Amino acid sequence: MLRRLIQLYIGLALYGVSTAMFVRADLGADPWNVFHLGVASLLSMNIGLVIIATGVLVLLFWIPLRQRPGLGTVSNVIVLGLTADATLAILPPLESLVARSALLAAAIVVNALATGMYIGAGFGAGPRDGLMTGLHARTGWSVRVIRTTIELSVLVIGVLLGGTFGVGTVLYALAIGPLIQLCLPWFRQPSGTRNAAVIS
């Protein structure tokens, strides 16, 4: 249990760090962070606070879907946003395109490692993935359709709000699945992964 807890929180913290790396690379982020950046830009808020508020709002949609949050779910809401803001406070903006490109590549890798750790710890789905699995359970629609619809929706909204869409968004979409598949066996714990879902 202690090992799983340590892995959970390191994974969540690294996910927040990867979010800050996407922001500083400024070459595009994953769909949810494009949305977070758009809202943060519109409301002049820290992205960490937007991540926390979005997580809480998404959790409210769990109620009619009869989803039950786990420790990982609640921790997700808090840790990701706090870690992202803390990392942004110490990671300066970069001017060089080469440095930003390297930071983007590192962000994708760190995100995959963080996801593998979080899933492997097996403490429940993140708010956004719980929304996906809840809709699947209640509607019978395929996970692929639901996931794609949600991610495209938040991406379009995020872009319209001023979120950063770019080559990083495309690279993330192409690379994250294979990287998570590679990383997950390294962190899978024997007693807690059956009901885990991918963080987002």
Side-chain angles (χ1 to χ4, degrees):
M1 177 63 73
L2 178 60
R3 180 179 175 182
R4 289 172 58 209
L5 284 170
I6 292 172
Q7 181 174 307
L8 168 69
Y9 287 108
I10 291 176
L12 290 175
L14 286 177
Y15 202 99
V17 169
S18 74
T19 296
M21 294 168 72
F22 279 120
V23 174
R24 289 296 186 237
D26 196 28
L27 292 170
D30 63 281
W32 274 104
N33 277 320
V34 172
F35 174 79
H36 296 146
L37 286 166
V39 174
S41 175
L42 178 68
L43 301 180
S44 300
M45 295 169 58
N46 293 337
I47 187 173
L49 184 57
V50 173
I51 291 172
I52 292 172
T54 302
V56 172
L57 181 62
V58 172
L59 277 180
L60 294 178
F61 288 101
W62 281 36
I63 297 174
L65 297 175
R66 299 177 184 175
Q67 293 285 94
R68 293 184 179 180
L71 175 64
T73 310
V74 178
S75 299
N76 176 300
V77 173
I78 300 169
V79 175
L80 262 62
L82 294 179
T83 309
D85 275 349
T87 305
L88 285 170
I90 61 175
L91 183 64
L94 301 175
E95 297 295 333
S96 166
L97 180 59
V98 173
R100 289 163 56 206
S101 298
L103 188 62
L104 170 65
I108 295 173
V109 173
V110 171
N111 188 280
L113 288 168
T115 302
M117 295 182 75
Y118 174 83
I119 295 172
F123 281 102
R128 297 153 188 82
D129 280 299
L131 176 63
M132 174 189 67
T133 56
L135 285 170
H136 169 67
R138 298 291 289 176
T139 65
W141 299 341
S142 74
V143 169
R144 179 183 300 178
V145 169
I146 294 171
R147 179 70 178 239
T148 301
T149 300
I150 292 175
E151 299 236 341
L152 284 177
S153 297
V154 296
L155 176 61
V156 170
I157 294 171
V159 170
L160 292 175
L161 293 177
T164 305
F165 174 86
V167 63
T169 310
V170 178
L171 288 176
Y172 181 91
L174 294 174
I176 195 63
L179 285 174
I180 291 173
Q181 185 173 354
L182 174 66
C183 295
L184 185 56
W186 303 346
F187 303 109
R188 190 181 299 276
Q189 299 294 330
S191 61
T193 58
R194 183 171 55 188
N195 296 320
V198 176
I199 186 174
S200 89

